[in-house]
Amino acid sequence: MKRDKSLKFRFCLAITIVFLLWFFRTGLDADIKVPKTVNLFVREKNQTPIPEFKSSNKLILFIIDFDDFMCLSCIDSFVNFYHSLPFPVIKESAWGILTYDGTKWKDDKPKGIKVIEKKLRGFVRANSIRLPILIDHPHVFSSLAAKGTSIVLLNGDRGFLREYVFPLNEFQKDEIIKTLVE
Amino acid sequence: MKERISQKKLFVVLFLLLGLSVQIQSLAQKGNMKVRLEEVLSIGSLDDDALFQWVSVKADLDGHIYVTDSMDYSLKKFSSFGKLLKKTGRKGQGPGEFLAPRLLDSTKEHLYVTDQSVPGIQVFDKNLDFQCRIPIPLPVVDFKILSDNEFALATFSPNEKGAILVFDSKGKAIRQIQYTDNVSSPMMDLVSFDFDSDRNLYIAYTFQDKIEKFNREGKKEWSLSLLKVKQQSRKRISRFILPTKVVYKDVTLDNSQKLYVLGGSFSKKKSQDVYVISPEGGLLATFTLPEPSHCIYIDSRNFLYSRANEGITLKKYRMQHVYN
């Protein structure tokens, strides 16, 4: 009889210990659990997923001088080089900035803006340019276009930026493409 | 008796008409003429896609207007009301393609188009269908169709005397009309030119203050210097020293053989002043285009065409000659 009681007691004690262990463990887990990270590049279930963000820190910025539109052979070098770039580079690492002389339409700026927008539209369409191009109305990039249409190449992986002025020689073209695709 | 009276009346009327035309002629030659422009048509606006950067224009007898557009590498046909009827061309060097479409001229049946970047002259029919290419191995600075079988062109030849070259329809050089006696510095002999119905040649130098007329035998009849340009600015480019400022941009004739010369950087209103010159070489009038233009053209009905909105718009004007 005494033995039965003792066994019973031990069994209950074991169950209690197991229960306590389970209880505290889950509680501790809740206390030390790392907050769930929010992935900024994955949307909620209902929305279409954004393309995977590249780890590459490279950007090619085309600084296009509006005056070069008056001399299409001048801007041909840019068009030919643009079309030689691999499509993923154009899609993910390339932008265009169209600069113009702000004094040219100082008497009628709205008209000047329309002229620029229209010529850009015609140029982009006729040359199948799929680059996002912004018009530099605040003239932030004007000094970069002082020598004509050019490229600013930014490489965050290696920590440098470089400027190339069109027309490019073969060495420069190779250097730029190699930097973008490595 | 009645017959004699009506004959007399007819004679008097004819005499008066003759007298009036002589009077107008002499007034015009005294420079008492003014030219007024009345806009009758505008093709291309800031909001549409009709024209982006037109370069050359021609009108046919039906009133259709043909234009080369360098921004979208095309040749376009518009109705007399300015509606786009057809567009042809894209970027390239193949048949009917362009890299830099530029000058345009026409006959009754065909259009002729030069390309600044591709040698030769492309031929299209009035439906803008490509027909053939005339091989010309020289750069074309200006050109005019003389007939179905002949055309004339001005070219850039650094080591040659200035001459207008005449070719046949297959691109074979037939003859030349020399307009300078000596070889000049590069580009100083570049000219725009036109021929009148008697095949007299009128030239305006691009970088010199000179306008000249040569008769059909090639003999110089007169030479004018309108702007008293004393010095031309020059710049070193590569191994050449080249002029930088344009004196005269373009020439065209109206249907009474008056010559219209578009001034460049040395005119009071740069690229807007137009000088009207009689066949005898007298300055008849000067008028100003509403906006700067790179060219002027007068069609067979005496309508004047010029540029507006930086080449986005083509303007057509009726010209009114007013005598004081």
Side-chain angles (χ1 to χ4, degrees):
Chain A
M1 192 108 169
K2 273 185 186 176
R3 197 189 252 175
D4 288 340
K5 275 186 185 173
S6 170
L7 274 172
K8 224 178 181 177
F9 174 75
R10 284 178 196 169
F11 180 73
C12 290
L13 185 62
I15 296 293
T16 305
I17 291 168
V18 166
F19 175 76
L20 285 170
L21 280 171
W22 173 83
F23 179 78
F24 280 113
R25 185 176 170 174
T26 54
L28 283 169
D29 278 348
D31 288 339
I32 65 170
K33 194 172 179 179
V34 173
K36 189 177 174 184
T37 50
V38 176
N39 189 337
L40 293 170
F41 302 101
V42 174
R43 295 184 177 180
E44 299 302 322
K45 275 184 193 174
N46 295 335
Q47 292 175 305
T48 52
I50 295 170
E52 187 184 341
F53 185 70
K54 280 179 81 87
S55 60
S56 164
N57 292 319
K58 293 164 195 169
L59 180 68
I60 178 167
L61 204 56
F62 291 94
I63 311 294
I64 305 163
D65 183 5
F66 179 75
D67 284 345
D68 283 350
F69 282 174
M70 307 305 148
C71 163
L72 289 177
S73 56
C74 305
I75 206 152
D76 244 2
S77 177
F78 151 67
V79 173
N80 292 336
F81 179 71
Y82 163 81
H83 284 296
S84 73
L85 290 173
F87 181 67
V89 169
I90 295 171
K91 195 179 165 195
E92 298 188 23
S93 306
W95 279 78
I97 306 283
L98 179 66
T99 66
Y100 63 92
D101 178 2
T103 60
K104 202 170 176 183
W105 291 287
K106 58 177 190 258
D107 296 331
D108 193 349
K109 194 160 183 188
K111 177 182 168 180
I113 290 171
K114 284 202 160 191
V115 167
I116 293 166
E117 285 171 354
K118 176 158 179 181
K119 294 218 184 223
L120 177 62
R121 193 163 68 241
F123 172 75
V124 158
R125 199 182 293 171
N127 290 283
S128 304
I129 306 285
R130 284 179 175 79
L131 199 59
I133 299 178
L134 299 174
I135 302 174
D136 182 20
H137 293 304
H139 307 293
V140 171
F141 292 88
S142 292
S143 58
L144 285 173
K147 296 173 207 167
T149 299
S150 57
I151 285 173
V152 174
L153 181 64
L154 296 94
N155 188 336
D157 292 338
R158 294 209 177 175
F160 70 77
L161 64 87
R162 271 186 205 143
E163 188 190 13
Y164 303 83
V165 181
F166 283 98
L168 305 175
N169 59 41
E170 290 305 316
F171 175 77
Q172 289 172 319
K173 287 179 198 172
D174 290 340
E175 188 178 71
I176 295 166
I177 292 176
K178 197 177 163 190
T179 302
L180 290 166
V181 301
E182 66 184 9
Chain B
M1 183 78 170
K2 275 184 184 174
E3 259 184 53
R4 274 190 193 171
I5 291 167
S6 64
Q7 273 178 1
K8 273 187 186 172
K9 277 184 187 170
L10 184 64
F11 180 73
V12 166
V13 166
L14 283 171
F15 184 77
L16 282 171
L17 279 172
L18 183 66
L20 192 63
S21 67
V22 166
Q23 181 74 353
I24 289 171
Q25 195 83 318
S26 81
L27 274 175
Q29 285 174 4
K30 283 178 189 171
N32 292 329
M33 186 180 84
K34 282 186 183 167
V35 177
R36 288 200 189 121
L37 299 179
E38 178 198 343
E39 184 183 316
V40 297
L41 183 65
S42 181
I43 299 177
S45 75
L46 296 172
D47 300 308
D48 66 24
D49 288 346
L51 293 171
F52 292 98
Q53 194 155 298
W54 73 267
V55 184
S56 194
V57 57
K58 258 319 166 274
D60 64 18
L61 294 171
D62 299 325
H64 295 121
I65 298 166
Y66 304 88
V67 182
T68 49
D69 193 332
S70 63
M71 190 64 101
D72 67 357
Y73 311 99
S74 66
L75 171 64
K76 294 171 181 169
K77 178 177 179 178
F78 295 89
S79 73
S80 56
F81 299 106
K83 184 186 168 190
L84 178 65
L85 298 175
K86 195 171 177 184
K87 172 188 161 184
T88 192
R90 62 177 181 186
K91 189 175 181 180
Q93 296 187 60
E97 295 178 339
F98 306 101
L99 289 181
R102 205 168 157 253
L103 302 168
L104 175 59
D105 206 347
S106 65
T107 57
K108 206 174 169 185
E109 302 292 329
H110 295 107
L111 297 161
Y112 299 78
V113 185
T114 70
D115 191 311
Q116 195 168 314
S117 301
V118 182
I121 295 175
Q122 294 199 79
V123 184
F124 297 81
D125 65 18
K126 291 299 179 74
N127 245 357
L128 307 192
D129 293 322
F130 174 81
Q131 302 296 299
C132 64
R133 183 189 291 271
I134 303 173
I136 304 288
L138 304 164
V140 178
V141 173
D142 197 5
F143 92 107
K144 290 288 177 297
I145 300 296
L146 302 176
S147 69
D148 285 330
N149 302 312
E150 280 189 350
F151 62 90
L153 66 88
T155 186
F156 170 58
S157 305
N159 301 315
E160 306 281 332
K161 294 175 191 173
I164 301 295
L165 309 175
V166 180
F167 291 80
D168 67 14
S169 57
K170 292 195 172 124
K172 185 183 165 192
I174 307 171
R175 64 181 185 277
Q176 64 178 32
I177 305 163
Q178 201 172 294
Y179 55 82
T180 63
D181 296 323
N182 305 305
V183 177
S184 300
S185 325
M187 289 176 70
M188 292 303 286
D189 283 341
L190 289 187
V191 296
S192 301
F193 71 94
D194 205 349
F195 283 92
D196 66 18
S197 52
D198 295 325
R199 292 280 183 107
N200 295 307
L201 169 67
Y202 296 82
I203 63 171
Y205 284 73
T206 307
F207 294 107
Q208 293 188 60
D209 185 5
K210 251 198 286 187
I211 302 166
E212 296 179 332
K213 178 182 177 181
F214 295 80
N215 64 21
R216 61 183 298 141
E217 282 78 44
K219 187 185 168 191
K220 190 189 300 185
E221 290 199 353
W222 49 256
S223 181
L224 278 183
S225 172
L226 293 178
L227 301 174
K228 315 298 176 208
V229 172
K230 287 177 186 170
Q231 208 175 352
Q232 167 69 266
S233 60
R234 289 164 202 259
K235 190 177 172 182
R236 179 172 284 280
I237 296 169
S238 185
R239 55 193 172 93
F240 298 108
I241 295 173
L242 302 175
T244 57
K245 283 182 161 185
V246 172
V247 183
Y248 298 115
K249 285 190 150 185
D250 201 7
V251 293
T252 188
L253 287 158
D254 71 9
N255 58 12
S256 63
Q257 318 285 43
K258 287 194 283 296
L259 183 71
Y260 294 69
V261 183
L262 176 62
S265 301
F266 291 91
S267 297
K268 265 189 187 168
K269 279 279 209 174
K270 294 177 187 179
S271 304
Q272 285 177 254
D273 282 346
V274 179
Y275 310 98
V276 186
I277 298 165
S278 70
E280 293 75 32
L283 178 64
L284 300 173
T286 303
F287 66 94
T288 303
L289 298 171
E291 288 192 49
S293 184
H294 63 289
C295 75
I296 46 168
Y297 162 66
I298 297 174
D299 67 18
S300 57
R301 294 192 176 121
N302 255 16
F303 288 101
L304 182 143
Y305 298 73
S306 72
R307 172 173 148 156
N309 289 330
E310 308 275 335
I312 286 170
T313 306
L314 168 66
K315 296 276 190 185
K316 179 179 175 181
Y317 301 95
R318 179 177 291 113
M319 289 195 292
Q320 293 171 344
H321 296 91
V322 178
Y323 298 93
N324 294 328

